[in-house]
Amino acid sequence: MFDIADFKFIHLSNVDSTNVYAKSLILNGENSNCIIVADTQTKGKTTKSNSFWESPVGNLYFTMAVKIDEHFQKFLHLFSFLSALSLVESVKDLSSEDINIKIKWPNDVLFNVKKLSGILIEKEKDFIIIGVGVNISHYPKSINIKYPTTSLLNEGINIGKDEFAHIFARQIIKNLNWCMETEFSELIDRIKNYMYKIGEKIFITFNNENFIGIFENIDSNGAIVIKTDSGVKSFLSAELTKENFI
């Protein structure tokens, strides 16, 4: 079982990427669980290899490096869901109202149907690297961005990034301990409670091909399952297109 007291907390004023920093620590012999928070990043990593997460001061740039044993290595594909669920629950706990916060498959968190965060899961040796960027005070406003974006402050939640980092870290640890006890068996069901557009018609792109269908399920591997006119299809990697936000 994990405890927040067992994590080394590292604060950086500036770094290229909190994920890159965590991986370098591990490669250089670090053997402790770590939480890294930076005030800003110059090259915050995203799931797309040729792009960087916009990193103004005031937002959260967070990486948790967690050492997991060999048995739980087989659940690596579910850590992005665990992280997204933890973020949703952290935000919900800050509001007394029934807020509209969802997860756009696989792991983008949407607040009032606007993107709040980015999550990137990586692995180094026997550590899982959970990298998360959260728009706390600022959000991109460029007309060239793909999807609508927002921040916690823009949605009426006023909290500092460091305070939120501690809330978020504790929620990840709580959910990680629960997943270890249940061997992740119920995680997908919990995720589906917050999944954006489940049960509805969605538009997705895979390998430059467009698909339209009813979002029916998420399978045990984390794949999205949709029912199209040509039958049921599942995708381990695909993109919900901008038509879903219109």
Side-chain angles (χ1 to χ4, degrees), residues 5-58:
D6 298 328
F7 282 75
K8 182 186 294 185
F9 194 94
I10 301 170
H11 175 264
L12 304 170
S13 58
N14 185 52
V15 70
D16 52 355
S17 158
T18 54
N19 268 30
V20 169
Y21 186 88
K23 291 167 78 172
S24 68
L25 287 178
I26 294 163
L27 288 171
N28 283 294
E30 179 60 66
N31 201 40
S32 302
N33 295 324
C34 297
I35 297 168
I36 300 160
V37 173
D39 293 337
T40 188
Q41 301 178 119
T42 55
K43 293 182 178 180
K45 296 181 71 175
T46 72
T47 54
K48 296 182 172 55
S49 59
N50 60 347
S51 64
F52 300 115
W53 182 264
E54 188 175 318
S55 303
V57 173

Side-chain angles (χ1 to χ4, degrees), residues 7 26 29 32 43 76 100 111 115 123 125 135 150 171-173 176-177 190 193 195 199-200 203 208 212 231-232:
F7 282 75
I26 294 163
S32 302
K43 293 182 178 180
L76 290 178
N100 178 18
F111 200 148
K115 184 171 177 176
K123 183 179 179 296
K125 294 186 176 179
N135 296 332
T150 193
Q171 191 64 39
I172 293 175
I173 291 168
L176 180 58
N177 287 334
R190 285 180 64 188
N193 290 328
M195 190 57 60
E200 300 180 35
F203 302 81
N208 296 317
I212 303 173
V232 175

Side-chain angles (χ1 to χ4, degrees), residues 183-241:
E183 294 212 349
F184 290 76
S185 62
E186 300 170 38
L187 179 62
I188 295 298
D189 287 336
R190 285 180 64 188
I191 283 289
K192 287 193 288 190
N193 290 328
Y194 296 107
M195 190 57 60
Y196 177 65
K197 291 277 189 177
I198 195 163
E200 300 180 35
K201 182 170 74 172
I202 60 169
F203 302 81
I204 66 174
T205 298
F206 176 71
N207 281 350
N208 296 317
E209 187 175 356
N210 297 319
F211 297 88
I212 303 173
I214 302 299
F215 182 177
E216 288 199 328
N217 199 13
I218 303 168
D219 71 17
S220 60
N221 292 316
I224 190 169
V225 180
I226 68 169
K227 184 177 182 181
T228 72
D229 290 341
S230 58
V232 175
K233 300 182 184 297
S234 63
F235 302 91
L236 276 171
S237 63
E239 183 176 11
L240 273 71
T241 63

